[in-house]
Each structure stands twice: as structure tokens, then as C-alpha cells.
Amino acid sequence: MKYIPVVLMGCGGVGRQLLQHIVTCRSLHANQGIRLRVVGVCDSKSLVVAPDVFSMELSDNLLLEVCRVKLDSSSSLLTLNGSGECQVYSNPELTKKIIDIAALLGKSTGLALVDCSASSETIGVLNRVVDIGCCAVLANKKPLTCKMEDYDKLVSHPRFIRHESTVGAGLPVIATLNRLLSSGDPVHRIIGSLSGTLGYVMSEVEDGKPFSQVVKSAKSLGYTEPDPRDDLSGMDVARKALILARLLGQRLNLDSIKIESLYPEEMGPGVMSVEEFLGSGVSLLDKDFQERVHKASSKGNVLRYVCVIEGSRCEVGIQELPKDSALGRLKGSDNVLEVYSRCYPEQPLVIQGAGAGNDTTATGVLADILDLQDLFP
């Protein structure tokens, strides 16, 4: 049996779903000769660790209890301190303890540090852990969109890094691009719809629904963040575009990307509350969207919120696209990526499928962890 020790950072929707997947896949992994040995789980304030990370792991019952406790985001893992099955550490010990675990296990069994947080503060611990010789798996986009100096350190040991779920959740976007690039097939253009939320919004507006109504529906369906402007700003798509652009060799930072927001600055979070934006602000945008949809339709086109990476160009925003193209046919919250290369010059390689959701993303993270198995004894 091959054992892969795991420490998870982040107990939000994706992190909890990952723990549940690990527990429910025990028999499947056993048949494959693998066991994921979860030795630690942390949120932003506390870390739960097995009493002896060499010989013990957090029990499945405890992992499910972590999921139950963190279902309420305000609850703390400190409540597990009296269980007797684990040790609990809180800030400022948290980061040091993770690095200590990596140093201990890195010399013998190895470790997979999994970042399912949404924090920009994890880059330091990720770099330390990779330097020690352990592996890192990311669903968190922010470490890969930090300044180039930190990014270069993180990806300097590519065999020890997996981050498929940072761009397309469970879709094979990063793996496909890596295969093309390593085979000497240069990628010269990427265009894609990489936000399930904005994909849904644009396809619903295309059907004649007011922009304001669609945004409110997307929020009620759970497609958006609590403040829909987090999605409508385009920043999430910009981070994904930056990850892809850097993968293609571009030396870009986030502020180098042209980003089209779907709302004006005067409707931003610093000016309007969420309630004001949804109550009176967003409806003021209906007429402009209606006119843009009509203009595109008159030319046989549709509007899509896309990222475009071509040469030194990297931008995200609304574009008019042919209705019969892969992106034009997009409906709902699916992601679509068109990749143009030497081998795919006219008819692009198209990657399409569910690109959002906790379940899909967690499945992608789990696949990334298992993909590292040859690096473990």
C-alpha cells in the first residue's frame, strides 16, 4: 500500500468537499493500492493535527466532524480540542507547525500540502514546503498570481506542483497545455469563457432577460459570491487568464491585464452596499446590455465574457463572437476554452464542461493529489 500524507489548508466549500471525497473513496483507493493519510487540516485561525504524523492520521469520523463544524464559517476548529484524537494549534503557531510537519515528513514519507483556501497569504508556506522537497496542490489561484519573484520560486520544481483546479475546476486545462508545450507544439492563442457565473449571465441575457434580473437569479441559485460584484468585476477571470499566460511564458503581473468590469466604479463596494447595488444600482445597467445584445444579434453574433491570450496580449472582457462557434454555443455555467497552436491552427482544440462548483473543483484537486503518487515511496 502506498501512503500519501496530506495537510489541507482551507475548510470552505471546496476543502470540505475534498475531505468528503477522500472518505467516500477509501475502498476505491484501496483497490488501487493507495491511502491518502490526512494528518492535518487548518482554517485561517487554527490547525488540527494527528498526535503523531509519522504513524497516525486524523480518523474519517474526525474529518467528517471537521466538515460539520466548518459548515458554519464562523465556527472554529478549536472546538475539536477536547476530542483526544488530535492536537489543535492556533495562530501564530499555525504556519510554523505546518512547516515543521513538512520538514519531518519530507525526509521520509513526503507530504502533499493542499491549498483550498482563498488567501493570498499562503505563498510563503507553499514556497517553504516545496523547497523542503514536499508537494503542493492548489485550488487557490492567488499564490499563482502573486508577484513574479514568488511565482518563479513556487514553480521552480514543476514535478512537485499541481494546480489544475485553479483554472477549470475539474477540466484538463493545465495538463492539456503542458502536453502541447512539452511536445514542441507552440500555443499562439487562447480564448475562453472561464467563469461559470459570467457564462450563465451572458447566455441568459442573450435570451432577452434583463441583466439585473439575471444577476439576481444567479445570486439566488448560488452561482455568485455573496457580493455578485466579486464575479462581475472580472477579477476572477483575470487571475485565471494570468495563470494561463504565465504558463505560456509571459512575464506578466495582474495589473498588466486589461480587465472589463460589468459595473462602473460608482457602483463599486466602496460606494454602494450589496443591498443598494441589487436594489437600485444594477437595474441602471439593463438598457446598455440590451443594446449591446441587440447590436451583436443583428450581425449574427452573441456576447461572451472571455479571456484572450495572444502574443503579449492578455485581456478579459465582453466580446462579440459567432453564434455557431464553440463559445457562441455555450449555455449555462459551463466553461469553454479554445486553444490555437501549430497543430490546431484553424480548428482549435476545444475543452468544455462544468468549470465551477465545489464538487467539481474538489474532484479536480483529488485527481491532482493522486497524480503525485509516483513521488511517494
Side-chain angles (χ1 to χ4, degrees), residues 184-254:
D185 184 12
V187 174
H188 57 80
R189 185 169 190 258
I190 293 175
I191 179 169
S193 175
L194 294 176
S195 166
T197 301
L198 296 182
Y200 170 83
V201 168
M202 300 313 296
S203 63
E204 291 291 292
V205 168
E206 176 193 334
D207 289 340
K209 297 174 184 175
F211 178 71
S212 58
Q213 177 188 323
V214 173
V215 170
K216 293 172 186 175
S217 296
K219 186 176 188 301
S220 67
L221 289 168
Y223 289 166
T224 74
E225 296 295 326
D227 185 343
R229 288 169 296 186
D230 291 345
D231 300 285
L232 301 177
S233 69
M235 187 57 70
D236 182 64
V237 179
R239 286 195 176 95
K240 294 176 180 180
L242 180 57
I243 290 170
L244 295 179
R246 286 178 168 180
L247 192 65
L248 299 188
Q250 293 192 30
R251 306 287 292 175
L252 295 176
N253 288 311
L254 201 56

Side-chain angles (χ1 to χ4, degrees), residues 44 59 110 258 281 299 365:
S44 60
S59 71
K258 182 181 177 182
K299 294 182 283 185
V365 174

Side-chain angles (χ1 to χ4, degrees), residues 255-266:
D255 57 9
S256 308
I257 299 176
K258 182 181 177 182
I259 305 171
E260 179 183 0
S261 173
L262 298 190
Y263 63 87
E265 287 185 17
E266 55 266 29

Side-chain angles (χ1 to χ4, degrees), residues 156-173:
S156 62
H157 304 286
R159 291 182 65 240
F160 297 96
I161 301 289
R162 297 292 185 277
H163 57 96
E164 189 69 78
S165 295
T166 57
V167 174
L171 295 177
V173 173

